[in-house]
Short mmCIF file of all heavy atoms in Angstrom, two decimals:
data_model
loop_
_atom_site.label_atom_id
_atom_site.label_comp_id
_atom_site.label_asym_id
_atom_site.label_seq_id
_atom_site.Cartn_x
_atom_site.Cartn_y
_atom_site.Cartn_z
N MET A 20 -2.18 19.25 1.95
CA MET A 20 -1.46 18.13 1.38
C MET A 20 -2.31 17.31 0.42
O MET A 20 -3.51 17.19 0.56
CB MET A 20 -0.98 17.20 2.47
CG MET A 20 -0.14 17.85 3.52
SD MET A 20 0.33 16.61 4.72
CE MET A 20 1.28 17.62 5.82
N ARG A 68 22.95 -15.44 14.18
CA ARG A 68 22.84 -13.99 14.06
C ARG A 68 22.88 -13.29 15.40
O ARG A 68 22.98 -12.05 15.46
CB ARG A 68 21.57 -13.62 13.30
CG ARG A 68 21.66 -14.03 11.83
CD ARG A 68 20.35 -13.90 11.09
NE ARG A 68 19.95 -12.52 10.84
CZ ARG A 68 19.09 -12.17 9.86
NH1 ARG A 68 18.59 -13.10 9.05
NH2 ARG A 68 18.74 -10.91 9.69
N SER A 90 28.22 15.42 10.04
CA SER A 90 28.75 14.61 11.15
C SER A 90 27.91 13.35 11.33
O SER A 90 26.71 13.33 11.04
CB SER A 90 28.79 15.42 12.46
OG SER A 90 27.52 15.98 12.76
N VAL A 118 38.00 5.75 15.52
CA VAL A 118 37.46 5.48 14.19
C VAL A 118 38.42 6.03 13.14
O VAL A 118 38.81 7.20 13.19
CB VAL A 118 36.06 6.11 14.00
CG1 VAL A 118 35.54 5.85 12.57
CG2 VAL A 118 35.06 5.56 15.01
N THR A 151 26.03 -6.58 33.87
CA THR A 151 26.81 -5.40 33.52
C THR A 151 27.31 -5.56 32.10
O THR A 151 27.68 -6.66 31.67
CB THR A 151 27.97 -5.16 34.51
OG1 THR A 151 28.61 -3.92 34.21
CG2 THR A 151 29.00 -6.27 34.45
N VAL A 158 31.59 7.57 19.01
CA VAL A 158 32.50 8.54 18.40
C VAL A 158 31.71 9.37 17.39
O VAL A 158 31.04 8.80 16.51
CB VAL A 158 33.68 7.85 17.70
CG1 VAL A 158 34.56 8.87 16.98
CG2 VAL A 158 34.49 7.04 18.69
N TYR A 169 31.63 7.40 2.83
CA TYR A 169 32.84 7.25 3.64
C TYR A 169 33.03 5.78 4.01
O TYR A 169 32.06 5.06 4.28
CB TYR A 169 32.76 8.09 4.92
CG TYR A 169 32.98 9.57 4.69
CD1 TYR A 169 31.90 10.39 4.38
CD2 TYR A 169 34.25 10.13 4.77
CE1 TYR A 169 32.09 11.75 4.16
CE2 TYR A 169 34.44 11.49 4.56
CZ TYR A 169 33.36 12.29 4.25
OH TYR A 169 33.55 13.63 4.03
N HIS A 185 33.59 -0.82 7.08
CA HIS A 185 32.19 -0.55 6.81
C HIS A 185 32.10 0.72 5.97
O HIS A 185 33.10 1.43 5.77
CB HIS A 185 31.41 -0.36 8.12
CG HIS A 185 31.45 -1.54 9.03
ND1 HIS A 185 30.76 -2.71 8.77
CD2 HIS A 185 32.11 -1.76 10.21
CE1 HIS A 185 30.97 -3.58 9.74
NE2 HIS A 185 31.79 -3.03 10.63
N TRP A 212 11.34 -15.03 14.66
CA TRP A 212 11.49 -15.45 13.26
C TRP A 212 10.76 -14.50 12.33
O TRP A 212 11.23 -14.22 11.22
CB TRP A 212 10.97 -16.88 13.11
CG TRP A 212 11.72 -17.86 13.95
CD1 TRP A 212 11.37 -18.34 15.18
CD2 TRP A 212 12.99 -18.47 13.65
NE1 TRP A 212 12.32 -19.20 15.67
CE2 TRP A 212 13.33 -19.31 14.75
CE3 TRP A 212 13.87 -18.40 12.57
CZ2 TRP A 212 14.50 -20.06 14.79
CZ3 TRP A 212 15.03 -19.15 12.61
CH2 TRP A 212 15.34 -19.96 13.70
N ILE A 229 17.04 4.62 8.70
CA ILE A 229 16.01 3.85 9.38
C ILE A 229 15.42 4.70 10.50
O ILE A 229 16.16 5.27 11.32
CB ILE A 229 16.57 2.55 9.97
CG1 ILE A 229 17.19 1.68 8.86
CG2 ILE A 229 15.48 1.77 10.71
CD1 ILE A 229 18.03 0.55 9.39
N VAL A 249 8.36 -14.97 26.61
CA VAL A 249 6.92 -15.21 26.64
C VAL A 249 6.18 -14.02 26.01
O VAL A 249 6.65 -12.88 26.09
CB VAL A 249 6.41 -15.43 28.08
CG1 VAL A 249 6.99 -16.71 28.65
CG2 VAL A 249 6.78 -14.24 28.98
N MET A 285 20.55 4.52 11.95
CA MET A 285 19.26 4.24 12.57
C MET A 285 18.97 5.31 13.61
O MET A 285 19.74 5.50 14.55
CB MET A 285 19.25 2.86 13.22
CG MET A 285 17.91 2.50 13.87
SD MET A 285 17.92 0.87 14.67
CE MET A 285 18.97 1.19 16.10
N TYR A 380 -7.75 0.28 17.26
CA TYR A 380 -7.62 -1.09 17.77
C TYR A 380 -7.98 -1.11 19.26
O TYR A 380 -7.84 -0.10 19.96
CB TYR A 380 -6.20 -1.61 17.56
CG TYR A 380 -5.90 -1.99 16.13
CD1 TYR A 380 -5.56 -1.03 15.19
CD2 TYR A 380 -5.99 -3.31 15.70
CE1 TYR A 380 -5.30 -1.36 13.87
CE2 TYR A 380 -5.73 -3.66 14.39
CZ TYR A 380 -5.39 -2.68 13.47
OH TYR A 380 -5.15 -3.02 12.17
N THR A 408 4.14 6.29 14.42
CA THR A 408 4.15 5.71 15.76
C THR A 408 4.16 4.19 15.64
O THR A 408 4.02 3.62 14.56
CB THR A 408 2.92 6.14 16.57
OG1 THR A 408 1.74 5.73 15.89
CG2 THR A 408 2.89 7.65 16.79
N ASN A 418 -7.03 9.20 7.94
CA ASN A 418 -7.33 10.41 7.20
C ASN A 418 -6.78 11.60 7.99
O ASN A 418 -6.51 11.49 9.18
CB ASN A 418 -8.85 10.57 7.03
CG ASN A 418 -9.40 9.68 5.93
OD1 ASN A 418 -8.87 9.64 4.82
ND2 ASN A 418 -10.48 8.97 6.25
N ILE A 462 -4.05 1.50 30.78
CA ILE A 462 -3.40 2.50 31.62
C ILE A 462 -1.95 2.63 31.18
O ILE A 462 -1.24 1.63 31.11
CB ILE A 462 -3.47 2.11 33.11
CG1 ILE A 462 -4.92 1.82 33.51
CG2 ILE A 462 -2.87 3.20 33.98
CD1 ILE A 462 -5.87 2.97 33.30
N ASN A 507 10.21 15.03 -3.96
CA ASN A 507 10.57 16.43 -4.17
C ASN A 507 9.86 17.26 -3.11
O ASN A 507 9.32 16.70 -2.16
CB ASN A 507 10.20 16.89 -5.59
CG ASN A 507 8.78 16.52 -5.96
OD1 ASN A 507 7.86 16.71 -5.16
ND2 ASN A 507 8.59 15.97 -7.16
#
Side-chain angles (χ1 to χ4, degrees):
M20 305 180 180
R68 291 170 72 158
S90 54
V118 178
T151 187
V158 176
Y169 285 88
H185 301 287
W212 299 97
I229 301 167
V249 294
M285 181 181 71
Y380 285 81
T408 59
N418 282 312
I462 306 301
N507 49 45

